[in-house]
Amino acid sequence: MSVFSQNHLSTISDKINQGSILYHILNHERHLPSCSCSCESKEKVMLESPYVTCKAASEVLLKTVNFIKNLPSFHGLLQQDQFLLLENCWAPLFVLGLAQEGVDFEVTEPKTSILKEILMNQKSRNYHEKMCSQLSAAEVQKVKSFLTKCWSIDISTKEYVYLKGIILFTPDVSGLGSPQYILCLQQEAELALTDYIHSLHPQDKTRFSQILFALTSLKTINAHIITELFFRPLIGNVQMNALLMEITGGYFMC
């Protein structure tokens, strides 16, 4: 599996069309508005620093998509299968990217402000009420727990690459044209991870199981929560698939 080019990624932001969704995300300089909804604080949370976190998240998503596009084994798949894998696997791959890039985030309880409710127009208030109502503290904690687990294991760059392969090549995604071939690719990634761990940590008999256990917890993270937490504050009503297609730059239209 080939690793994405860092030099290529560093210049992508400069080449993005200024009217695009991604350009808006990566160059959005104003502060994001705070939530003023009357959420139950013990159950709902919101980002503490949404601008900083969402911008970092957008850069991780860009790297994640480019990593996928640069995999020779991904190029060999049917175009329909490529699209379905990206659509269904982007969220866990993105969270793996957060761990690899060391992107942490903090959340806070939504606070109600009567003055803000008076000053904010109804449309804006309704949007933020909807946003906060979807951010379950328990679901967000799953993301933070996974990141903490990865950092405690101190997963290496190559291990992240193999883990991404295991996640990306998921044979049970509905509608795949070549599930058996994709299963083979997943098994190859698992074998490569096993061999790498055994060669690098021959005395550590638990590392492989620890990493796979972390991977299992990753699968419980809701993609909808990832969208609402890291991207909804910037893309508004735009669908996540539209953002993914824009980042791919028409890759699936060739």
Side-chain angles (χ1 to χ4, degrees):
M1 298 182 185
S2 59
V3 183
F4 48 79
S5 167
Q6 294 294 333
N7 292 332
H8 176 65
L9 292 173
S10 65
T11 60
I12 284 178
S13 181
D14 297 331
K15 297 180 180 179
I16 296 171
N17 186 291
Q18 293 190 10
S20 70
I21 302 168
L22 191 59
Y23 180 90
H24 173 70
I25 290 174
L26 295 177
N27 297 276
H28 187 59
E29 293 299 334
R30 66 184 178 82
H31 290 290
L32 296 172
S34 300
C35 173
S36 61
C37 66
S38 54
C39 306
E40 291 294 330
S41 61
K42 65 181 180 179
E43 298 177 353
K44 309 297 179 181
V45 293
M46 59 181 290
L47 286 175
E48 191 170 276
S49 304
Y51 169 66
V52 174
T53 302
C54 291
K55 185 171 183 179
S58 300
E59 292 168 348
V60 170
L61 182 64
L62 181 62
K63 290 182 178 182
T64 300
V65 172
N66 277 278
F67 169 82
I68 295 170
K69 288 168 59 178
N70 289 330
L71 285 175
S73 49
F74 188 75
H75 281 277
L77 298 175
L78 298 171
Q79 192 172 76
Q80 175 189 348
D81 287 356
Q82 293 177 20
F83 176 79
L84 287 172
L85 291 177
L86 176 64
E87 183 181 43
N88 286 274
C89 303
W90 74 266
L93 289 171
F94 164 78
V95 177
L96 270 175
L98 289 180
Q100 183 177 7
E101 298 296 324
V103 177
D104 200 359
F105 66 95
E106 297 299 330
V107 292
T108 185
E109 296 177 352
K111 296 177 175 60
T112 301
S113 167
I114 297 176
L115 179 58
K116 284 184 179 179
E117 288 190 0
I118 294 173
L119 295 177
M120 290 177 66
N121 62 53
Q122 188 65 37
K123 180 179 179 181
S124 178
R125 182 163 65 251
N126 287 344
Y127 166 70
H128 291 291
E129 286 175 355
K130 180 181 178 182
M131 184 179 75
C132 278
S133 68
Q134 296 171 339
L135 296 182
S136 159
E139 291 295 327
V140 172
Q141 185 56 43
K142 289 181 183 179
V143 181
K144 291 186 70 66
S145 296
F146 174 78
L147 295 178
T148 300
K149 181 65 175 176
C150 287
W151 296 330
S152 69
I153 299 174
D154 193 21
I155 298 175
S156 70
T157 299
K158 279 195 173 183
E159 287 170 330
Y160 275 118
V161 170
Y162 299 140
L163 286 172
K164 288 176 183 179
I166 294 171
I167 288 294
L168 175 61
F169 299 117
T170 301
D172 57 355
V173 170
S174 178
L176 290 175
S178 305
Q180 287 302 315
Y181 178 62
I182 292 170
L183 174 61
C184 289
L185 292 176
Q186 185 183 65
Q187 291 172 339
E188 286 180 10
E190 290 177 348
L191 180 60
L193 176 62
T194 304
D195 291 344
Y196 180 78
I197 291 176
H198 288 168
S199 64
L200 203 65
H201 306 276
Q203 304 303 320
D204 192 340
K205 305 301 182 182
T206 63
R207 184 172 182 81
F208 183 74
S209 59
Q210 284 181 313
I211 291 179
L212 286 188
F213 180 75
L215 207 62
T216 300
S217 68
L218 176 62
K219 295 177 182 178
T220 68
I221 295 174
N222 191 313
H224 178 72
I225 293 295
I226 298 300
T227 300
E228 298 303 313
L229 181 63
F230 294 106
F231 300 104
R232 188 64 64 206
L234 287 176
I235 67 176
N237 292 326
V238 174
Q239 295 299 309
M240 197 64 203
N241 277 354
L243 177 59
L244 291 171
M245 290 305 99
E246 184 171 290
I247 295 175
T248 62
Y251 177 82
F252 296 104
M253 300 179 184
C254 300

